[in-house]
Structures are given as structure tokens and as C-alpha cells.
Amino acid sequence: MSNAAVNAQPITSKKNDISFPSGNRPVLQISSTHDDKKKILFVTSELTDLVKTGGLADVSAALPRALSPLHDVRVLIPGYPQVLECGHPIRLVGSLGAQGDLPACNIGRLDLPDGLIIYVLISPELYERDGTPYGDEHGNDWPDNPVRFARLGLAAAEIAAGTACIRWAPDLVHAHDWPAGLVPAYMRWRGLKTPSVFTIHNLAYQGLMSMNQRRRLGIPVEACHHEQMEFYGHLSLLKAGIAYADHVTTVSATYAEEITTPEFGCGMDGYLRVKAEQGLLSGILNGIDESWDPATDTHLIQNFSMHDWAGKAANARHVREMFGLAPSEGPLFSVVSRLVHQKGIDLTRGVAQTIVEAGGQVAIIGRGDARIEDDLRQLAARYPGQVGVHIGFNETDARCLFAGSDFLLMPSRFEPCGLSQMYAQRFGSLPVARRTGGLADSIEDGVTGFLFDEANVESYRHAVERALAVFGRPQLLNAMRCRAMNSGFFWRQSIAPYDQLYRRLLGDQQATAITF
Ligand SMILES: Nc1ncnc2c1ncn2[C@@H]1O[C@H](COP(=O)(O)OP(=O)(O)O[C@H]2O[C@H](CO)[C@@H](O)[C@H](O)[C@H]2O)[C@@H](O)[C@H]1O
């Protein structure tokens, strides 16, 4: 394996300008940083600052920052065009040789303005193409995803082993979701002692690939067993993460329990049950970052705070204009969502009539499955001026929707944590949501939102009717808004469990028992 040593040298972030200086010796500092900070490497396929398809990006961006007072957390991400062309300089700091079918690649370092350090895995042939991190603009997965994400996993293991010449090696590696599932696996197969944590953000995306990929990715034959990463005749990157990490977390306590049952376990419930019985699976609720403050958010048409309902109404007027809705004093419901089966958008179509007949309106923003997008366009056509749909996504419009709406509709069939309901509460929009996963853990029924039990229109409609009734009682509505805005699911409340987990895995005597 080539370990060409490099000296950190500024270069531009434009694709074709990346040069790779060589000829210097690597200087690896394995020792711990000052104080009691541990060096933690996050491995992820999305980061809100650079590239985002959903909630994973938000967590990947917010959690390292929230942990930064306690630990030196850095992030490894593939060098997609959105990363390379983000406008911040990237310095080449390391290189990795080819291994089997995994090509040689470089490692760049990108320092975000607030100091978050990102290592960028640079491989034009694997990552520099138009589309999402996972596929083309038509939603087709890239056929070489096994190689793309195996390369990411192996790169992380090489960084952990100190063989990537980047002058930094983590004490612990924290890998996120199936794209980083091979991180703990390669670490184990290489005999590394560095502990690893694997977080499941969504068990439904399992990173399945054919058994034929085994050799080219350097996967040992003994790993192709149902106690490791074999899953019904395939290899699963997600299962690899679960199998080989020293500890597995997911993003809420309720989802951690749910995934050990056949209803939510996506075929892995038995395997996860064993992990849970061994004390190797736990749930830590996500948080939101401090930028979610309606009093200061610059995306909003007008800032507001508790009791300043006129400020909130100004955002509602703006949303109505943006979505082509008729001026109205009635309740405004919003949907801010990836448009996939999980999110129960079909159920929302089923309650639209109830909302419109009660004088309510619905504004929907999101993108995803083409069929769901078409269904929503039809819904808007059926209720002109009452239902507005924007297929697409941008942060400003999403924040205005949270700020302008009275209620957020989130009838998810399952929801590992969910962030939209936390954002909505912070902006005084009461979630109407299914009692599942993180929704159950972050919404107090009748206090900060409305929960329903069954994933069907009838159960959902009943919750919508309760919301409509509260809208008719302004005092109660405003009291609920205040409670929701005060819920405060900030990351600072979630970092203690991560800190305890890291320290326990690192054998820190001071780590207290994990209490989540
Ligand atoms: N079409 C779109 N394109 C881009 N961004 C969009 C979008 N639609 C919504 N978003 C944004 O993505 C985030 C949505 O995050 P969620 O946690 O609600 O769901 P998601 O299913 O993506 O995340 C998964 O991972 C997170 C993080 O752990 C878990 O909370 C969640 O339950 C799990 O399903 C919000 O910031 C929202 O504004």
C-alpha cells in the first residue's frame, strides 16, 4: 500500500485544481490532545454544511459541534462535487493506496469557518459525479455503491490505524448508517484495537449488495455468515456495522426497543434482540442546534418569540403567498418531509379533505419518490388555494413553513427520531404525529402536540380533529405553543450519554454507568 507522505499545503477547492505535493515524511501524532479530550472520528455520507438528503446530514453536522467542548471530533466524508466546490479551501493531507478493487485516493482537509475539521476522501472516479450521494437524479442507486462506500469504510480504518499520513489518529471511531457500515468491519478485520460506535439512523436502509462483491471489497469469507454481515443471501453494509461495532446506538430510546420487534425490525429484529440482551444496543435521542430560534433566525420573514403571535402570523401570510394559498385566518398545516413511504404521505392525502372542510389549509414541501410527488401535485390540483405543494427542498422555505404553520403533519409509519417535529415545536407549530420512535419520545400528547396510535387514516383523522378543536380555543392553542417552544430538545442535553459511552469504551475509569 502506498503511503505517500504529504505536507499540508493550501490549494483551491475547485475540482481540477487539486494538486498533490509529495516527498515529505509522515508525522503521526498518536498521543491524546490536551486536557481530557478524546479524538473522535465521525464517518458519514452527508453533512448539512456541504450535502444533505435528510436528517442524517443534520446530525452529522450538529453532533460533532455539540461534542466539541468535550472532545476533538473530526468528520470524514466522500469528496462529492458539493463538497469539493463548497467554496472553502481544501488542503491535501494524506493518501491511500489501492486495495483490491478499491482505488487509490487522497485525503483533503477542509476547515469550516467555525473550526469543524472535515477530512475529505478524494476519488474522482468514485465520488465526482452529478446526483445525490447515493444515486442519479432519477433516484437510481449508483451501481458501484459497494465500492464507493467500501472505500469510505476502509479509508476510515486506515486513518484509525495511522496509515493514512494525516498526522492525526482517532481514539475512537463513530460511524453513521449503512454507508459507513464497513468502518467497524474493516477495523476489526485489520485487528485494530481502536473502539468503534455504529449509529443506526434508519434501519430500513440496509445497504444490501450481492455476495459476488465479497472478494473485490476484501471481505473475509467468514464474514459472510448470518452472525456477521450476511442477510438473507446478500451482504448488508448496515448489518456489518451492527456486527462489528463495539457498541450500537440508535436515535431514540423507543426506536431502540421497536427495532427488536418483528414489526419494526426489518428482518434484523432477532439479531438486534441479541445485541440488546448483551447490553450492546441503546437509544440516544437526537437534538437540534441553537440556530433553531425564531427570535433570531434570519431565514424568517419576521422574527418572533413566545406570545408575539403577530410575528408568527406574518410568517403564515408569507407561506400562504409562497404556496399560492388563499388569504385565510384558518389553521395552516405544514408538511416538511422526504417523500417516501416511511413518512405516511398517503395518510396525509387521506385527511386533507377533513382539514379543508374545516377551513384549514395545507402547505407541503419535499421531494422523493416520483409517485408520491405526482400524488401530491394531484392533491394540490384538487384543492386549489387550499393545498399548496412545492416539490423540492430548501432550508429557507422549510424554516418559514415551521414558523408560519400552526401544525406540522408527521404521520410516519416509523420514525427513528425525527427532527422536523423538534424544529416545528421550537417555532410554535404543534406536531400531529404517530406515536412511534422518536416522535413518541419528543411530543407530549395534548401538551406539545397530538399523537395517534395506528398507521391509518381513521386514527390520524381523530388527532387532526383534536388539533382543529384546539385551534378554535386560542388560549389553549397559545399555551400549547409556549410549551412546545420551550421543549428545548437541544444537543447539549444529548451529549452526556455519548460522552459516557465513548469514555466507557475507552476504558476511562471516570465514566459513570450508562443511564440511557
Ligand atoms: N426532501 C428533502 N430534502 C432534503 N432535506 C429534507 C427534505 N425533506 C426534509 N428535509 C430536511 O431533512 C431533515 C429531516 O429529518 P428527519 O429526522 O425528520 O427525517 P429523515 O428521515 O431524513 O432522517 C433519518 O435520520 C434522522 C437523523 O437521525 C432521524 O431523526 C430520522 O428519524 C430518520 O428517518 C430536516 O432538516 C428537514 O428539514
Side-chain angles (χ1 to χ4, degrees):
M1 180 174 59
S2 151
N3 271 330
V6 290
N7 202 8
Q9 182 172 315
I11 55 167
T12 78
S13 61
K14 279 173 44 212
K15 258 195 221 175
N16 299 327
D17 287 350
I18 291 180
S19 60
F20 197 86
S22 63
N24 304 302
R25 302 299 313 156
V27 182
L28 185 66
Q29 294 170 341
I30 309 242
S31 62
S32 190
T33 49
H34 56 86
D35 301 325
D36 198 18
K37 283 190 169 186
K38 304 296 181 192
K39 291 179 287 182
I40 314 286
L41 180 67
F42 266 46
V43 188
T44 184
S45 54
E46 302 183 24
L47 187 99
T48 295
D49 307 64
L50 304 169
V51 56
K52 166 167 167 172
T53 72
L56 170 63
D58 290 6
V59 176
S60 301
L63 184 53
R65 289 169 161 121
L67 284 164
S68 66
L70 303 178
H71 300 293
D72 172 13
V73 187
R74 304 184 182 191
V75 180
L76 174 68
I77 190 169
Y80 319 113
Q82 300 94 322
V83 176
L84 299 178
E85 295 161 13
C86 69
H88 303 296
I90 298 176
R91 296 176 292 150
L92 288 173
V93 292
S95 69
L96 302 167
Q99 300 208 27
D101 278 10
L102 306 184
C105 46
N106 292 327
I107 298 178
R109 174 175 159 163
L110 189 174
D111 289 33
L112 289 175
D114 66 354
L116 181 64
I117 296 171
I118 312 290
Y119 292 115
V120 181
L121 187 60
I122 299 171
S123 168
E125 63 183 287
L126 295 186
Y127 306 123
E128 292 180 40
R129 49 181 89 162
D130 294 335
T132 74
Y134 316 110
D136 64 22
E137 68 271 26
H138 307 297
N140 304 309
D141 285 350
W142 300 119
D144 58 348
N145 273 349
V147 174
R148 296 173 76 237
F149 293 109
R151 182 64 268 188
L152 178 68
L154 185 58
E158 291 172 294
I159 290 173
T163 53
C165 313
I166 64 166
R167 305 172 182 217
W168 186 87
D171 299 313
L172 181 146
V173 179
H174 189 161
H176 295 266
D177 254 355
W178 71 265
L182 281 172
V183 173
Y186 282 121
M187 288 172 68
R188 186 72 66 88
W189 299 330
R190 302 259 147 153
L192 298 189
K193 297 278 180 276
T194 312
S196 62
V197 174
F198 181 67
T199 294
I200 302 167
H201 293 265
N202 195 333
L203 191 68
Y205 298 92
Q206 304 187 330
L208 296 182
M209 60 187 182
S210 142
M211 282 279 185
N212 301 335
Q213 302 280 349
R214 185 187 73 75
R215 265 178 210 280
R216 58 194 299 240
L217 305 186
I219 296 173
V221 70
E222 56 277 14
C224 304
H225 186 273
H226 66 87
E227 290 194 357
Q228 275 79 36
M229 61 182 291
E230 187 266 345
F231 186 69
Y232 294 102
H234 286 79
L235 293 174
S236 160
L237 269 64
L238 185 91
K239 197 170 172 196
I242 298 169
Y244 292 103
D246 294 291
H247 193 89
V248 179
T249 67
T250 187
V251 287
S252 70
T254 295
Y255 191 62
E257 279 175 26
E258 286 175 342
I259 57 178
T260 63
T261 67
E263 187 185 351
F264 294 96
C266 302
M268 291 196 192
D269 43 292
Y271 193 67
L272 288 162
R273 235 176 356 258
V274 174
K275 291 280 172 191
E277 282 159 11
Q278 293 170 338
L280 299 177
L281 170 67
S282 45
I284 303 175
L285 193 67
N286 285 336
I288 64 176
D289 68 52
E290 315 278 335
S291 75
W292 290 92
D293 183 351
T296 55
D297 192 327
T298 52
H299 295 89
L300 306 189
I301 208 75
Q302 190 171 319
N303 290 117
F304 65 98
S305 48
M306 266 184 275
H307 304 297
D308 172 15
W309 308 126
K312 189 166 167 64
N315 287 287
R317 278 194 298 279
H318 174 65
V319 168
R320 286 191 166 95
E321 273 167 32
M322 261 198 315
F323 283 80
L325 301 177
S328 166
E329 298 289 309
L332 179 57
F333 292 74
S334 63
V335 175
V336 180
S337 181
R338 291 185 302 111
L339 303 180
V340 293
H341 183 69
Q342 168 193 350
K343 303 292 182 179
I345 307 294
D346 51 321
L347 302 176
T348 292
R349 282 171 47 223
V351 299
Q353 188 177 350
T354 302
I355 292 172
V356 171
E357 283 176 358
Q361 295 170 315
V362 190
I364 303 172
I365 184 171
R367 68 174 165 235
D369 294 352
R371 240 190 45 208
I372 301 179
E373 291 180 357
D374 279 347
D375 289 346
L376 287 178
R377 287 190 193 98
Q378 283 174 25
L379 186 72
R382 193 178 320 144
Y383 298 110
Q386 307 309 320
V387 176
V389 174
H390 281 186
I391 300 301
F393 186 81
N394 79 69
E395 193 73 21
T396 302
D397 291 354
R399 286 182 183 241
C400 287
L401 259 187
F402 292 129
S405 58
D406 300 296
F407 304 104
L408 174 85
L409 297 171
M410 207 161 166
S412 305
R413 292 190 160 81
F414 63 93
E415 196 59 76
C417 175
L419 297 169
S420 292
Q421 84 281 4
M422 294 184 182
Y423 300 145
Q425 286 180 67
R426 186 80 183 107
F427 281 23
S429 177
L430 305 175
V432 180
R434 176 136 187 262
R435 193 192 307 275
T436 183
L439 297 172
D441 293 355
S442 62
I443 299 167
E444 259 190 276
D445 189 30
V447 179
T448 62
F450 305 89
L451 293 171
F452 62 95
D453 289 307
E454 306 301 329
N456 60 42
V457 171
E458 205 187 333
S459 185
Y460 186 13
R461 184 179 292 123
H462 185 59
V464 166
E465 284 165 354
R466 289 170 59 214
L468 288 166
V470 166
F471 188 82
R473 299 173 58 194
Q475 244 184 330
L476 178 56
L477 175 70
N478 291 339
M480 285 186 72
R481 282 174 172 167
C482 291
R483 291 292 291 268
M485 291 171 85
N486 259 336
S487 307
F489 295 104
F490 292 116
W491 275 114
R492 58 174 182 260
Q493 281 143 16
S494 302
I495 58 173
Y498 280 111
D499 179 47
Q500 288 171 18
L501 173 62
Y502 294 163
R503 291 189 188 279
R504 183 172 63 86
L505 293 174
L506 287 164
D508 187 331
Q509 298 306 312
Q510 289 176 354
T512 49
I514 295 185
T515 50
F516 38 85

